[in-house]
Structure formats: C-alpha cells, structure tokens
Amino acid sequence: MSDPTELGVYVHWPYCARICPYCDFNVVRDRGRTEEQAALADAIVADLEAQRALTGPRTLLSIFFGGGTPSLMDPAQVARVIETSKRLWSPADGLEISLEANPTDAETDRFAALADAGVQRLSLGVQALDDRALKTLGRNHDAGAARRAMAEARRAFPRLSIDLIYARPGQTDADWRAELAEALATGPEHVSPYQLTIEAGTAFDRAVGRGTLKVPDEDLAATLFETTQEVLEAAGFDAYEVSNHARGEAARSRHNLVYWRGIDYVGVGPGAHGRLALPDGRAATIAHRAIGDYVGAVRRTGLGFTCEILTPEEAAEERLVLGLRIDAGVAFAEMTPLGLSPDLPKVRDLVEAGLLADDSNRLRATRAGRLVLDRLTGVLAT
C-alpha cells in the first residue's frame, strides 16, 4: 500500500526545438516565446502554491521536470520551481530532482547551470547512436552530439539516465546489441529502452498508413525485447519496470516509482496529470492543455486543472495497470474492488500460462507477462 504522507511533483514544460514525428505528448515549438514562458513559469509556481492547500503537509519524494524539453527552461526558473516545492512540502532524505534533456550542443552547454539550480538526475533523450536512425526519428542531434552530451552529463550530474528507442525501421538484432553495448560503456546508472510505438495522429502514424514507413514485425520486436533484457541483465542492470533498468536499487527512478506504486503526485504545467487523495476519493487532475488556457485558469482560480473523482473500481484498475509494470507488482489487498484474489480461476490460468508469478500475496507479471502486458491487464480488469 502507498504511504498517504508521501508526494511527488511533476512539472510539464511543453516547449521543444523540434516536434519528433513519433511524439504524441503535449508540446509546442519553442520560437522565442519569452514573455509567454515567463508567464507560464509564474503560473506553475502559483499552481503549486494552490495545490499545497489541497494536499496539506506531505513528505516530498521527487520533483520531475518533463515535457517537451525542460532543458530549454531558464535555469533560474528551474531553481525557482525547486525552491517553491521544497518550501511547500518537507523534502525527504534523498529527495530526487530529475530533468529531461536532449543531447544538442546548445542544451549540453546548460548542464552546469541546471545542476547549480538543483537538478541532480538528468534523463537524457539519446534515442539512438546511429546517424541514419536519428534522422529517421526526426531528432535534431547526431550520434556525435549524443556521445558528447553523455560525457558532459556524467561530469555535471551525480546521476544519469539515458533513453533509447528500439524496434526502429530497418534495425537488426545485431545492430541493437552493438548500440546497447556502446551506450552502456558511457556509464549511465539507469537505462530506459522503449520499443517504438506508432501513436495515432502522429507523423509516423500517417507514414505507416501511406506505406512509406515500415516498422519491425511482432516476431522481430519480441526478439529485440529479449535482447534488451539479456544485454542489460548481463551488464548488472535490474529490469525493475517494463522499460526501465537500473544498476542496483539506489539507481531506480524514485519519481517513476511514485506513479507505479500509486503514491500521490501533483501535476503542474499545460496538460500535466496528477493524482491526489481528496476527502471525496482519489482524484485524477488534468491541467488545461493549451498554454493560454492553463495560465488563464491559474490567474482566475489559482488552479490550472480540471478534476475527476475516480470510483473505487477505476482507482483499483489504474493501480493494477501501473503496478504490474514493476517487478514488485501490486498487492491483492489493493485489488478488492476488482474482486481479484490468488484463487480466482482467471488468475490461476495466467499463473499456469507463465504470465503471472505464483504468489499468494501479490500480482506480479513474469518476463513473458511483461511482453504482453496490455493483454494481461485486460484479462484481469474485466
């Protein structure tokens, strides 16, 4: 069960130098919108202040700057958000402060200033170490810039995580093994390898529909998944979540574990989601997506989101979907609203099929279960 006194903070900074063709996040082009960005930073701070009245005193486990590209954010504003959060809630021992960045030379030059602002963990969007693949992915850096950024990040920050994308068009298993080996040689403590997903409405979705983009078939994608597990495990990384591997427990992303363990978190910034335990039940907060709408709502009401109270069944289903992503799984005690128990026939069937671990206390997906996680959770939630 999650600790009701703990809390995470997610800050969404929507600006990007370029919109990647596979991205379906709430992002906009960064075209010198300095006045708008200043107003947004003010609104984020005001929103944090207002949400403190909802949460009451809490222990602050993590602050995560996501986006978009928060490494484009003025480091002084990053520091302001960090200091505000630490003033509003009591920082935990080992408070984790993470920020996402891209490996362009312009952003790498800001690493020292972001570290001075209070960021200790950088999540670097390397995505590939192959120039042709980076071009296909629509990235605005090349492999050389990625290598320089990883080296500079190691110098600037105590903790480094890198993101990589596999199951790319034309990628082979041998390519992926070599690329993983090179990435690991740079010394990150955390690796997030994501299988390329074609999201509806993206440029890649349209390209697949036209037949101009072809991604690996299911068999090759499954092989690449197994290769990912094998290579990272041999290098000393724990697969503590479907797409997250850490070199030991201390290297795990504490902020992501806030989500997967069902801990409350405040979401601020355009389109940010949050989850809060309120007197009426567990609340799903969703910030207004448009920057102007978000800033305007904060100015009018103090808060930038709309709020929905989840039913016990909805809250349990969400807990199931997220909890099965991590190696610890989710306790059967939290699944009472869904009627799930160790002896339920559909649970036993999944255990016998090798998709769930044989555990009388917790629902835990096996490696095979993680490969078909959507199907697994679909069966359990119905």
Side-chain angles (χ1 to χ4, degrees):
M1 303 290 282
S2 61
D3 186 336
T5 68
E6 295 177 331
L7 185 78
V9 168
Y10 173 73
V11 181
H12 189 80
W13 192 252
Y15 302 98
C16 283
R18 178 186 294 183
I19 309 300
C20 297
Y22 55 84
C23 179
D24 69 339
F25 296 158
N26 187 39
V27 296
V28 297
R29 286 288 298 274
D30 180 15
R31 292 175 173 167
R33 308 181 188 195
T34 53
E35 290 186 9
E36 180 185 80
Q37 291 178 12
L40 177 56
D42 287 344
I44 285 171
V45 169
D47 198 356
L48 287 169
E49 298 268 6
Q51 293 202 49
R52 169 60 173 78
L54 296 177
T55 67
R58 298 288 191 96
T59 299
L60 182 61
L61 298 181
S62 62
I63 305 169
F64 192 99
F65 292 83
T69 310
S71 50
L72 296 174
M73 193 174 179
D74 182 347
Q77 297 288 17
V78 172
R80 181 185 175 202
V81 171
I82 291 170
E83 291 307 313
T84 299
S85 300
K86 292 165 70 174
R87 172 174 54 81
L88 295 173
W89 297 284
S90 301
D93 292 339
L95 167 67
E96 179 187 85
I97 304 173
S98 302
L99 182 140
E100 293 180 335
N102 287 323
T104 66
D105 289 336
E107 290 171 64
T108 301
D109 289 343
R110 300 159 67 89
F111 285 177
L114 291 167
D116 288 343
V119 176
Q120 343 106 328
R121 180 180 182 275
L122 193 75
S123 180
L124 189 63
V126 173
Q127 314 308 10
L129 290 172
D130 175 271
D131 284 339
R132 185 174 59 180
L134 288 167
K135 184 176 181 180
T136 299
L137 292 171
R139 305 294 289 173
N140 60 346
H141 69 274
D142 60 19
R147 296 182 183 100
R148 290 191 295 273
M150 286 188 282
E152 181 57 32
R154 286 289 309 281
R155 288 189 287 268
F157 301 97
R159 304 180 62 196
L160 171 62
S161 174
I162 62 171
D163 290 358
L164 297 168
I165 294 175
Y166 68 95
R168 306 185 306 250
Q171 187 179 38
T172 68
D173 185 58
D175 294 337
W176 180 225
R177 284 180 182 274
E179 195 168 1
L180 268 178
E182 181 182 355
L184 294 177
T186 66
E189 65 165 17
H190 189 281
V191 179
S192 298
Y194 297 103
Q195 182 174 323
L196 178 62
T197 303
I198 306 302
E199 302 288 355
T202 62
F204 268 12
D205 180 40
R206 293 189 290 274
V208 169
R210 292 192 302 268
T212 57
L213 183 76
K214 185 177 181 181
V215 295
D217 60 27
E218 288 187 6
D219 288 342
L220 178 53
T223 297
L224 293 170
F225 173 84
E226 291 297 341
T227 294
T228 303
Q229 315 311 309
E230 174 193 327
V231 172
L232 288 168
E233 186 176 294
F237 284 79
D238 302 321
Y240 73 101
E241 193 270 343
V242 173
S243 299
N244 287 269
H245 302 246
R247 200 189 293 274
E249 190 164 347
R252 296 182 177 194
S253 169
R254 294 165 204 165
H255 184 79
N256 285 345
L257 286 168
V258 164
Y259 303 148
W260 300 323
R261 290 175 174 166
I263 296 170
D264 280 11
Y265 61 99
V266 163
V268 292
H273 289 236
R275 292 294 184 272
L276 299 175
L278 298 181
D280 293 337
R282 186 159 179 79
T285 68
I286 305 175
H288 298 285
R289 287 178 61 86
I291 295 168
D293 291 346
Y294 175 77
V295 172
V298 172
R299 286 174 175 170
R300 289 191 308 273
T301 69
L303 294 167
F305 62 72
T306 59
C307 181
E308 175 190 358
I309 301 298
L310 302 177
T311 66
E313 293 77 15
E314 288 170 335
E317 183 173 338
E318 181 175 87
R319 183 73 186 92
L320 172 71
V321 170
L322 295 175
L324 279 179
R325 295 185 66 87
I326 56 175
D327 55 359
V330 59
F332 277 107
E334 298 181 69
M335 295 294 101
T336 302
L338 297 180
L340 295 177
S341 68
D343 299 324
L344 195 68
K346 64 180 175 182
V347 172
R348 296 310 308 167
D349 288 345
L350 292 169
V351 170
E352 291 172 9
L355 301 180
L356 285 177
D358 192 0
D359 186 331
S360 61
N361 296 313
R362 306 184 69 83
L363 282 159
R364 293 189 294 111
T366 62
R367 180 181 289 185
R370 290 184 179 193
L371 189 57
V372 292
L373 197 59
D374 288 345
R375 179 159 63 88
L376 180 63
T377 52
V379 169
L380 290 169
T382 55

